[in-house]
PDB file of all heavy atoms in Angstrom:
ATOM      1  N   ASN T 100      24.054-209.195 -77.997  1.00  0.00           N
ATOM      2  CA  ASN T 100      25.121-209.705 -77.133  1.00  0.00           C
ATOM      3  C   ASN T 100      26.516-209.396 -77.665  1.00  0.00           C
ATOM      4  O   ASN T 100      27.504-209.821 -77.081  1.00  0.00           O
ATOM      5  CB  ASN T 100      24.959-211.214 -76.926  1.00  0.00           C
ATOM      6  CG  ASN T 100      23.770-211.522 -76.046  1.00  0.00           C
ATOM      7  OD1 ASN T 100      23.572-210.911 -75.010  1.00  0.00           O
ATOM      8  ND2 ASN T 100      22.944-212.465 -76.483  1.00  0.00           N
ATOM      9  N   SER T 101      26.607-208.662 -78.760  1.00  0.00           N
ATOM     10  CA  SER T 101      27.916-208.290 -79.288  1.00  0.00           C
ATOM     11  C   SER T 101      28.381-206.992 -78.619  1.00  0.00           C
ATOM     12  O   SER T 101      27.565-206.205 -78.143  1.00  0.00           O
ATOM     13  CB  SER T 101      27.860-208.125 -80.806  1.00  0.00           C
ATOM     14  OG  SER T 101      27.019-207.052 -81.155  1.00  0.00           O
ATOM     15  N   PRO T 102      29.694-206.761 -78.578  1.00  0.00           N
ATOM     16  CA  PRO T 102      30.209-205.551 -77.923  1.00  0.00           C
ATOM     17  C   PRO T 102      29.707-204.280 -78.601  1.00  0.00           C
ATOM     18  O   PRO T 102      29.476-204.253 -79.808  1.00  0.00           O
ATOM     19  CB  PRO T 102      31.727-205.667 -78.083  1.00  0.00           C
ATOM     20  CG  PRO T 102      31.992-207.096 -78.397  1.00  0.00           C
ATOM     21  CD  PRO T 102      30.759-207.616 -79.073  1.00  0.00           C
ATOM     22  N   VAL T 103      29.541-203.236 -77.814  1.00  0.00           N
ATOM     23  CA  VAL T 103      29.139-201.926 -78.326  1.00  0.00           C
ATOM     24  C   VAL T 103      30.343-201.291 -79.004  1.00  0.00           C
ATOM     25  O   VAL T 103      31.441-201.287 -78.452  1.00  0.00           O
ATOM     26  CB  VAL T 103      28.629-201.023 -77.174  1.00  0.00           C
ATOM     27  CG1 VAL T 103      28.386-199.605 -77.658  1.00  0.00           C
ATOM     28  CG2 VAL T 103      27.374-201.609 -76.560  1.00  0.00           C
ATOM     29  N   ASP T 104      30.136-200.759 -80.192  1.00  0.00           N
ATOM     30  CA  ASP T 104      31.199-200.079 -80.920  1.00  0.00           C
ATOM     31  C   ASP T 104      30.960-198.581 -80.808  1.00  0.00           C
ATOM     32  O   ASP T 104      30.428-197.945 -81.714  1.00  0.00           O
ATOM     33  CB  ASP T 104      31.217-200.525 -82.380  1.00  0.00           C
ATOM     34  CG  ASP T 104      32.408-199.984 -83.151  1.00  0.00           C
ATOM     35  OD1 ASP T 104      33.248-199.285 -82.538  1.00  0.00           O
ATOM     36  OD2 ASP T 104      32.495-200.243 -84.357  1.00  0.00           O
ATOM     37  N   ALA T 105      31.363-198.011 -79.675  1.00  0.00           N
ATOM     38  CA  ALA T 105      31.097-196.597 -79.389  1.00  0.00           C
ATOM     39  C   ALA T 105      31.821-195.668 -80.353  1.00  0.00           C
ATOM     40  O   ALA T 105      31.399-194.533 -80.551  1.00  0.00           O
ATOM     41  CB  ALA T 105      31.487-196.275 -77.952  1.00  0.00           C
ATOM     42  N   VAL T 106      32.882-196.131 -80.975  1.00  0.00           N
ATOM     43  CA  VAL T 106      33.653-195.291 -81.888  1.00  0.00           C
ATOM     44  C   VAL T 106      32.832-194.936 -83.127  1.00  0.00           C
ATOM     45  O   VAL T 106      33.025-193.891 -83.727  1.00  0.00           O
ATOM     46  CB  VAL T 106      34.967-196.000 -82.294  1.00  0.00           C
ATOM     47  CG1 VAL T 106      35.748-195.202 -83.310  1.00  0.00           C
ATOM     48  CG2 VAL T 106      35.803-196.255 -81.059  1.00  0.00           C
ATOM     49  N   THR T 107      31.880-195.781 -83.511  1.00  0.00           N
ATOM     50  CA  THR T 107      31.103-195.509 -84.719  1.00  0.00           C
ATOM     51  C   THR T 107      29.902-194.604 -84.451  1.00  0.00           C
ATOM     52  O   THR T 107      29.149-194.319 -85.363  1.00  0.00           O
ATOM     53  CB  THR T 107      30.606-196.812 -85.373  1.00  0.00           C
ATOM     54  OG1 THR T 107      29.738-197.482 -84.467  1.00  0.00           O
ATOM     55  CG2 THR T 107      31.756-197.703 -85.781  1.00  0.00           C
ATOM     56  N   ALA T 108      29.721-194.145 -83.235  1.00  0.00           N
ATOM     57  CA  ALA T 108      28.610-193.246 -82.926  1.00  0.00           C
ATOM     58  C   ALA T 108      28.940-191.864 -83.482  1.00  0.00           C
ATOM     59  O   ALA T 108      29.538-191.039 -82.817  1.00  0.00           O
ATOM     60  CB  ALA T 108      28.361-193.201 -81.424  1.00  0.00           C
ATOM     61  N   LYS T 109      28.577-191.656 -84.718  1.00  0.00           N
ATOM     62  CA  LYS T 109      28.911-190.415 -85.402  1.00  0.00           C
ATOM     63  C   LYS T 109      27.670-189.550 -85.557  1.00  0.00           C
ATOM     64  O   LYS T 109      26.570-190.039 -85.614  1.00  0.00           O
ATOM     65  CB  LYS T 109      29.502-190.721 -86.771  1.00  0.00           C
ATOM     66  CG  LYS T 109      30.795-191.512 -86.676  1.00  0.00           C
ATOM     67  CD  LYS T 109      31.444-191.677 -88.011  1.00  0.00           C
ATOM     68  CE  LYS T 109      32.694-192.491 -88.027  1.00  0.00           C
ATOM     69  NZ  LYS T 109      33.284-192.965 -86.861  1.00  0.00           N
ATOM     70  N   ASN T 110      27.895-188.239 -85.647  1.00  0.00           N
ATOM     71  CA  ASN T 110      26.812-187.296 -85.861  1.00  0.00           C
ATOM     72  C   ASN T 110      27.136-186.505 -87.117  1.00  0.00           C
ATOM     73  O   ASN T 110      27.858-185.511 -87.054  1.00  0.00           O
ATOM     74  CB  ASN T 110      26.652-186.376 -84.648  1.00  0.00           C
ATOM     75  CG  ASN T 110      25.531-185.392 -84.818  1.00  0.00           C
ATOM     76  OD1 ASN T 110      24.951-185.260 -85.892  1.00  0.00           O
ATOM     77  ND2 ASN T 110      25.220-184.684 -83.753  1.00  0.00           N
ATOM     78  N   PRO T 111      26.603-186.925 -88.273  1.00  0.00           N
ATOM     79  CA  PRO T 111      26.919-186.229 -89.519  1.00  0.00           C
ATOM     80  C   PRO T 111      26.460-184.770 -89.531  1.00  0.00           C
ATOM     81  O   PRO T 111      26.988-183.956 -90.278  1.00  0.00           O
ATOM     82  CB  PRO T 111      26.198-187.028 -90.601  1.00  0.00           C
ATOM     83  CG  PRO T 111      25.435-188.086 -89.924  1.00  0.00           C
ATOM     84  CD  PRO T 111      25.754-188.063 -88.470  1.00  0.00           C
ATOM     85  N   GLU T 112      25.521-184.416 -88.673  1.00  0.00           N
ATOM     86  CA  GLU T 112      25.038-183.037 -88.608  1.00  0.00           C
ATOM     87  C   GLU T 112      26.129-182.086 -88.105  1.00  0.00           C
ATOM     88  O   GLU T 112      26.073-180.888 -88.385  1.00  0.00           O
ATOM     89  CB  GLU T 112      23.803-182.942 -87.718  1.00  0.00           C
ATOM     90  CG  GLU T 112      22.574-183.614 -88.321  1.00  0.00           C
ATOM     91  CD  GLU T 112      22.122-182.963 -89.625  1.00  0.00           C
ATOM     92  OE1 GLU T 112      21.939-181.727 -89.640  1.00  0.00           O
ATOM     93  OE2 GLU T 112      21.974-183.688 -90.614  1.00  0.00           O
ATOM     94  N   LEU T 113      27.107-182.605 -87.374  1.00  0.00           N
ATOM     95  CA  LEU T 113      28.193-181.742 -86.899  1.00  0.00           C
ATOM     96  C   LEU T 113      29.006-181.158 -88.049  1.00  0.00           C
ATOM     97  O   LEU T 113      29.654-180.123 -87.892  1.00  0.00           O
ATOM     98  CB  LEU T 113      29.115-182.504 -85.950  1.00  0.00           C
ATOM     99  CG  LEU T 113      28.608-182.658 -84.526  1.00  0.00           C
ATOM    100  CD1 LEU T 113      29.578-183.503 -83.702  1.00  0.00           C
ATOM    101  CD2 LEU T 113      28.391-181.311 -83.866  1.00  0.00           C
ATOM    102  N   ALA T 114      28.960-181.799 -89.215  1.00  0.00           N
ATOM    103  CA  ALA T 114      29.668-181.262 -90.381  1.00  0.00           C
ATOM    104  C   ALA T 114      29.130-179.882 -90.745  1.00  0.00           C
ATOM    105  O   ALA T 114      29.870-179.024 -91.232  1.00  0.00           O
ATOM    106  CB  ALA T 114      29.551-182.212 -91.570  1.00  0.00           C
ATOM    107  N   LYS T 115      27.848-179.647 -90.478  1.00  0.00           N
ATOM    108  CA  LYS T 115      27.266-178.324 -90.737  1.00  0.00           C
ATOM    109  C   LYS T 115      27.915-177.272 -89.840  1.00  0.00           C
ATOM    110  O   LYS T 115      28.194-176.158 -90.282  1.00  0.00           O
ATOM    111  CB  LYS T 115      25.754-178.334 -90.515  1.00  0.00           C
ATOM    112  CG  LYS T 115      25.009-179.142 -91.551  1.00  0.00           C
ATOM    113  CD  LYS T 115      23.526-179.145 -91.247  1.00  0.00           C
ATOM    114  CE  LYS T 115      22.781-180.013 -92.221  1.00  0.00           C
ATOM    115  NZ  LYS T 115      21.354-180.085 -91.882  1.00  0.00           N
ATOM    116  N   ILE T 116      28.168-177.630 -88.588  1.00  0.00           N
ATOM    117  CA  ILE T 116      28.831-176.697 -87.671  1.00  0.00           C
ATOM    118  C   ILE T 116      30.267-176.479 -88.140  1.00  0.00           C
ATOM    119  O   ILE T 116      30.762-175.355 -88.157  1.00  0.00           O
ATOM    120  CB  ILE T 116      28.801-177.224 -86.215  1.00  0.00           C
ATOM    121  CG1 ILE T 116      27.366-177.493 -85.750  1.00  0.00           C
ATOM    122  CG2 ILE T 116      29.531-176.274 -85.270  1.00  0.00           C
ATOM    123  CD1 ILE T 116      26.457-176.292 -85.763  1.00  0.00           C
TER     124      ILE T 116
END
Side-chain angles (χ1 to χ4, degrees):
N100 289 314
S101 65
V103 172
D104 187 2
V106 176
T107 62
K109 298 186 182 354
N110 181 351
E112 291 297 308
L113 281 177
K115 291 178 183 177
I116 303 300

